[in-house]
């Protein structure tokens, strides 16, 4: 017969570990390997409050009034520039290909809390039928940058996909 002595501290530690593991399993979003564009964040953007809330999910604060609003037509066929921009969208769980040939609304906001010079940093949202379908955080400075909303960068082009 085997006897195992377990102290209160060990039982409490075990219970806490099980509680943490349960929370991780239940609340942490799973990565989507199916290739769909489902995301773990809200993409609603029908109203100004929803668009600002969308950006806030990623930690961005913006001026409430957009710098620019315009209609943009996603081209039927992507050139190299659009292919590259779409790779950035795909890196952040979105894809512009299903919207090829469609007209969306582009909202450009001034970002106020970027660690670089916020006066040059913009949040660009592409909205179709009240939902964010793409966009970026970018700098208009000469030596600027462009990332996804959460800092995603365009994945490098493999030799198989290079044209």
């Amino acid at each position: 017969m085997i006897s195992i002595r377990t102290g209160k501290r060990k039982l409490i530690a075990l219970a806490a570990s099980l509680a943490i593991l349960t929370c991780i399993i239940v609340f942490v979003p799973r990565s989507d390997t199916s290739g769909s564009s489902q995301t773990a964040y809200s993409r609603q953007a029908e109203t100004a409050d929803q668009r600002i809330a969308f950006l806030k999910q990623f930690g961005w604060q913006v001026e409430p009034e957009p710098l620019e609003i315009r209609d943009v037509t996603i081209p039927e066929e992507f050139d190299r520039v659009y292919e590259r921009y779409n790779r950035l969208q795909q890196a952040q769980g979105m894809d512009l290909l299903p919207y090829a040939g469609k007209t969306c609304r582009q909202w450009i906001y001034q970002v106020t809390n970027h660690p670089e010079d916020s006066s040059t940093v913009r949040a660009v949202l592409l909205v179709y039928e009240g939902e964010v379908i793409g966009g970026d955080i970018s700098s208009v400075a000469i030596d600027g940058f462009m990332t996804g909303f959460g800092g995603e960068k365009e994945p490098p082009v493999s030799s198989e996909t290079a044209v």
Side-chain angles (χ1 to χ4, degrees), residues 48-59:
D49 288 341
Q50 288 175 336
R51 289 186 294 277
I52 291 169
F54 172 83
L55 293 165
K56 193 177 260 188
Q57 294 174 112
F58 299 95

Side-chain angles (χ1 to χ4, degrees), residues 9 16 20 34 37 49 59 75 83 86 132 134-135 141 143-144 154:
R9 287 185 185 186
I20 291 170
S34 68
S37 62
D49 288 341
E83 285 175 1
N86 199 44
V132 176
D143 60 344
E154 173 202 356

Side-chain angles (χ1 to χ4, degrees), residues 45 47-48 51-52 54-55 60-72 85 104-112 118-127 132 134-140 146 149:
T47 67
R51 289 186 294 277
I52 291 169
F54 172 83
L55 293 165
W60 300 119
Q61 295 172 3
V62 296
E63 291 291 337
E65 289 298 315
L67 296 169
E68 186 177 348
I69 305 166
R70 64 182 177 151
D71 289 335
V72 174
Y85 191 66
C104 64
R105 180 143 288 183
Q106 181 185 61
W107 301 80
I108 302 174
Y109 291 92
Q110 170 88 36
V111 175
T112 60
S118 283
S119 69
T120 66
V121 179
R122 309 287 188 259
V124 178
L125 298 177
L126 298 174
V127 178
V132 176
D136 61 81
I137 302 297
S138 53
S139 170
V140 295
M146 180 182 290
F149 299 116

